[in-house]
Amino acid sequence: SDGQATAQDERLQLALAQSRQCQERGDWSCAITAAKDAAARDPAEGARQETAVVAAMVEAAVTETKAASAERTLSPKVARLKKAVALWREVVSYDATRQANLDGVVKQERAASTALAAEEAAAERARQRADAKARAREEAERQRAEARDRQLRWLSAPLPCCDGSYSPSCTRGGSHQGCCSRHGGVCG
């Protein structure tokens, strides 16, 4: 009857509208599911919407792949390639003829990830070398300070006299003239 046809048409239009809204948000699973709901009510209309969703997914995947290729630094490039791989995987789940696209992006992502890992490892080695140099400089400065302190302590220590006593007025670092004259002279 006319009432059932109108209700069926409304459900079709709702499913198509939901599919388009999901598509605009990039929620591909939702968009495909709603397009399949529309296809249950009108196979031709639902198939057109499903084709439009897959085409939009391909466009998003291509755009992300191009953006990744344009990146000059590895970290954002790898992030974009991972996103592109996820998009291409979803595309392939609906359109198996796109497998070559997925394979190419996966290869790019692996190469970029490998390069990023090598770059990060090199940066870590450089940081470790810089830390080791800084520790070596600090240790050398600490040893020089200790040597200066020992030298100052030695120079300012009382001068030993030959009778075993120490001069009350002379130090090892000062002039020894007249020191320990009543104590058998300077011994040391």
Side-chain angles (χ1 to χ4, degrees):
S1 79
D2 254 355
Q4 282 181 325
T6 303
Q8 188 74 359
D9 190 49
E10 284 178 10
R11 284 193 288 273
L12 170 65
Q13 295 308 315
L14 282 172
L16 291 172
Q18 182 182 6
S19 179
R20 285 188 215 98
Q21 287 173 350
C22 292
Q23 179 180 328
E24 288 173 12
R25 289 194 314 263
D27 186 347
W28 307 115
S29 179
C30 170
I32 289 289
T33 301
K36 287 182 188 286
D37 287 348
R41 287 159 181 63
D42 182 338
E45 194 65 37
R48 275 194 292 279
Q49 180 58 27
E50 198 172 336
T51 300
V53 171
V54 171
M57 289 169 61
V58 168
E59 183 180 336
V62 167
T63 299
E64 197 61 40
T65 303
K66 285 180 180 178
S69 295
E71 285 289 348
R72 294 293 167 234
T73 53
L74 283 173
S75 186
K77 180 184 210 83
V78 168
R80 284 192 173 272
L81 283 168
K82 286 181 186 292
K83 187 175 178 183
V85 165
L87 283 166
W88 280 113
R89 281 200 171 113
E90 198 153 4
V91 167
V92 168
S93 72
Y94 299 110
D95 181 359
T97 65
R98 300 293 186 153
Q99 184 65 44
N101 297 91
L102 172 60
D103 295 344
V105 176
V106 166
K107 186 176 179 180
Q108 288 177 35
E109 187 272 331
R110 284 185 184 146
S113 290
T114 300
L116 178 60
E119 185 179 270
E120 288 172 343
E124 177 62 19
R125 286 190 303 274
R127 187 192 60 75
Q128 289 175 349
R129 281 192 303 273
D131 287 350
K133 282 183 180 180
R135 284 192 304 275
R137 280 192 304 272
E138 289 169 4
E139 178 61 20
E141 179 54 37
R142 186 189 63 75
Q143 288 177 359
R144 283 191 294 276
E146 282 180 6
R148 281 191 304 271
D149 289 347
R150 280 193 306 275
Q151 182 70 17
L152 285 174
R153 282 193 306 274
W154 187 85
L155 291 173
S156 61
L159 193 60
C161 300
C162 289
D163 67 357
S165 65
Y166 288 91
S167 171
S169 57
C170 297
T171 61
R172 292 180 182 194
S175 169
H176 295 182
Q177 187 175 356
C179 297
C180 299
S181 57
R182 296 192 178 126
H183 299 278
V186 175
C187 286

